[in-house]
């Protein structure tokens, strides 16, 4: 395993350690907030997500996909 992989794994474990101290409701709100932040500030992933959602939900309109 590369050093970068170890670092990423360690950071995820640390985040998990702290998240387990909060209620599920609070963790859900934090996840929604971080998802909105990532959607606005990491647009390259948004294109991939929209493509995948269109494949899974062909009946949804473009607006429906954006709402998801």
């Amino acid at each position: 395993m590369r050093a970068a992989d170890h670092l990423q794994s360690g950071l995820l474990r640390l985040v998990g350690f702290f998240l387990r101290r909060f209620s599920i409701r609070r963790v859900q709100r934090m996840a929604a907030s971080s998802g909105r932040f990532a959607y606005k500030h990491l647009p390259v992933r948004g294109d991939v997500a929209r493509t995948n959602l269109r494949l899974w939900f062909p009946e949804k309109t473009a607006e429906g996909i954006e709402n998801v």
Side-chain angles (χ1 to χ4, degrees), residues 26-56:
R26 184 163 187 176
V27 171
Q28 288 172 335
R29 281 183 285 182
M30 291 185 327
S33 295
S34 62
R36 282 190 298 274
F37 176 84
Y39 184 77
K40 288 181 180 180
H41 299 288
L42 302 172
V44 70
R45 298 292 177 222
D47 294 339
V48 173
R50 280 188 291 282
T51 299
N52 289 337
L53 287 169
R54 273 192 232 99
L55 291 171
W56 276 95

Side-chain angles (χ1 to χ4, degrees), residues 11 13-14 21 29-30 35 45 48 50 63-65 68:
L11 287 172
R13 286 175 181 248
L14 185 62
R21 269 90 184 124
R29 281 183 285 182
M30 291 185 327
R45 298 292 177 222
V48 173
R50 280 188 291 282
E63 183 181 335
I65 292 295
V68 171

